[in-house]
Amino acid sequence: MTSTATISLSTLRASLPARSDAAAPTAPPRWSVADIEALYALPFMDLLFRAQQVHRETFDANEVQLSTLLSIKTGGCSEDCGYCPQASTADSGVEASKLMPLAEVIEAAQAAKDQGATRFCMGAAWRSPKERDMERVTDMVREVRALGLETCMTLGMLEAQQAQALKDAGLDYYNHNLDSAPEFYESIISTRTYQDRLDTLTNVRAAGINVCCGGIVGMGESRTERAGLIAQLANLNPYPESVPINNLVAVKGTPLADTPPLDPFEFVRTIAIARITMPLTMVRLSAGREEMDDALQALCFLAGANSIFYGDKLLTTSNPQADKDRQLFTRLGLKVQGERPAAHSPSCQ
Ligand code: SAM
Ligand code: DTB
Ligand code: SF4
């Protein structure tokens, strides 16, 4: 693909696979970092218009999907991810816990379902699961699925047979992020390589599990490096079914605690570009919503985000209260995937 500034919408449309909500994304067009930088360089209004057009080709632009997160094993992690309050090297005050008992996981999943979530994502502060953990996490997948929820796990690196065991238990999605562009990644994490992450994604894909893979912006990376992350994601073949875009939550005691916040419009641009380059994916507006006001979140939805983490906690940091999110959906006239639309019309209070 040549300079993106010259790509017309019809060219972009012609490159899209036929609409199918169930279909896995197929071979994507190759996106160079320069193509993506050209999208970043578009006037904001033009970029959002383009993202909306792509979004509406595939999705109901007034619908949002809700996933709830649960930390099934918190803190004390052996990895040194500079953004993460759960790294044992961080002085964040997060206490390390053991793997949560199955009954507590089921209870939390039922509560998430009662609040309207359709997907339940379980995260563990591990480099990778140990063999002795596999039976317990596969039991969690089976039980959460039995409640009628889609399941997602994020447990660190996976070997091929571990991915297969999770698939056999019925796991729908595995979250494993590339986090940043390869050249910036090395300044944030030293204990595992970019290639390790790509290998895990290959194992997850080969097992037939849907891939949830995104990254974090606002870690002090350059725009070119943000473009580099999107290029990596969009050029995965196929690209991920779900792409979480996290805005750094700068947690005290982590090496990135004092990182200056990213220009919010740059965050919105990143969402829009994820939407344009990965038209069929669920783009998830992930960490960082607690620090955003309603207008900024609305811009993210306008830019093509169609999924959020729902519930008052992410893994260790806070997320907007479910009631507050409900009010926002009502004010924006957003429907929740899998729910009947609210009986009353959107109001403005
Ligand atoms: N330990 C597993 C791993 O690293 O793959 C799973 C959990 S880990 C916390 C999942 C993802 O959360 C990370 O890859 C990162 O993208 C995101 N994350 C962690 N801390 C964050 C923070 N402070 N701000 C934004 N995103 C964060
Ligand atoms: C993802 O990309 N973001 C979520 C989920 N995948 C597991 C995690 C965000 C964590 C934010 C920091 C915390 O709460 O500890
Ligand atoms: Fe551990 Fe995951 Fe946090 Fe890295 S991001 S320190 S692997 S919990």
Side-chain angles (χ1 to χ4, degrees):
M1 191 165 291
T2 51
S3 168
T4 309
T6 62
I7 296 171
S8 68
L9 188 65
S10 55
T11 313
L12 196 59
R13 282 202 182 124
S15 70
L16 304 184
R19 176 189 168 144
S20 164
D21 293 344
T26 49
R30 297 283 308 172
W31 291 90
S32 70
V33 176
D35 290 334
I36 293 171
E37 283 185 289
L39 286 173
Y40 269 105
L42 285 174
F44 187 78
M45 306 310 158
D46 290 350
L47 177 63
L48 257 66
F49 179 63
R50 202 182 268 205
Q52 258 292 300
Q53 285 178 303
V54 172
H55 191 52
R56 285 169 183 269
E57 286 278 322
T58 304
F59 294 104
D60 177 345
N62 300 305
E63 188 171 276
V64 67
Q65 184 266 335
L66 307 182
S67 297
T68 292
L69 262 177
L70 177 71
S71 182
I72 57 170
K73 194 272 163 207
T74 307
C77 186
S78 60
E79 303 303 282
D80 68 351
C81 312
Y83 48 76
C84 187
Q86 303 198 71
S88 55
T89 46
D91 186 16
S92 60
V94 170
E95 278 189 33
S97 73
K98 292 201 162 137
L99 185 59
M100 190 179 271
L102 179 61
E104 285 178 35
V105 175
I106 297 172
E107 198 181 318
Q110 183 63 55
K113 188 182 175 190
D114 293 345
Q115 285 214 312
T118 51
R119 189 176 305 161
F120 193 65
C121 181
M122 296 159 269
W126 284 330
R127 173 178 169 81
S128 58
K130 302 222 164 26
E131 270 325 292
R132 63 168 188 264
D133 304 316
M134 286 306 295
E135 194 179 326
R136 291 184 60 194
V137 295
T138 49
D139 281 348
M140 291 175 190
V141 172
R142 272 186 284 271
E143 295 291 335
V144 172
R145 220 165 179 251
L147 296 176
L149 285 162
E150 285 185 317
T151 52
C152 174
M153 283 197 151
T154 178
L155 312 172
M157 296 186 289
L158 290 186
E159 298 291 343
Q161 73 278 11
Q162 293 177 314
Q164 193 55 54
L166 289 166
K167 172 68 183 174
D168 294 344
L171 187 69
D172 297 298
Y173 286 81
Y174 194 78
N175 168 238
H176 196 64
N177 291 340
L178 288 176
D179 277 349
S180 193
E183 63 277 19
F184 187 74
Y185 177 94
E186 291 169 12
S187 64
I188 301 291
I189 301 156
S190 76
T191 49
R192 63 181 171 207
T193 65
Y194 213 76
Q195 190 58 47
D196 288 334
R197 291 190 184 247
L198 292 167
D199 291 347
T200 291
L201 295 174
T202 301
N203 293 340
V204 170
R205 184 58 84 198
I209 301 171
N210 291 305
V211 171
C212 171
C213 180
I216 314 179
V217 294
M219 296 193 291
E221 74 285 341
S222 65
R223 179 179 266 190
T224 304
E225 287 160 342
R226 281 187 284 283
L229 166 67
I230 300 290
Q232 287 287 332
L233 296 169
N235 290 331
L236 290 172
N237 189 5
Y239 57 79
E241 280 77 12
S242 165
V243 174
I245 305 290
N246 296 279
N247 200 10
L248 175 72
V249 181
V251 181
K252 209 163 159 241
T254 62
L256 297 187
D258 298 323
T259 311
L262 185 67
D263 174 358
F265 296 134
E266 189 71 4
F267 184 80
V268 178
R269 282 179 185 278
T270 306
I271 298 265
I273 294 167
R275 168 54 63 221
I276 291 168
T277 56
M278 294 171 276
L280 297 182
T281 200
M282 299 299 289
V283 176
R284 182 165 310 120
L285 167 57
S286 301
R289 281 200 307 121
E290 179 81 323
E291 289 72 30
M292 294 177 194
D293 64 17
D294 289 348
L296 178 55
Q297 291 187 63
L299 272 182
C300 291
F301 294 128
L302 193 67
N306 58 353
S307 171
I308 57 167
F309 284 120
Y310 176 70
D312 58 5
K313 204 161 177 205
L314 290 165
L315 292 172
T316 64
T317 63
S318 62
N319 198 41
Q321 298 285 329
D323 284 355
K324 191 162 180 261
D325 278 340
R326 289 282 168 179
Q327 282 169 24
L328 180 62
F329 302 158
T330 303
R331 287 168 67 209
L332 298 177
L334 278 178
K335 299 177 293 244
V336 173
Q337 193 184 86
E339 283 180 13
R340 291 159 68 92
H344 50 283
S345 56
S347 63
C348 187
Q349 289 159 354

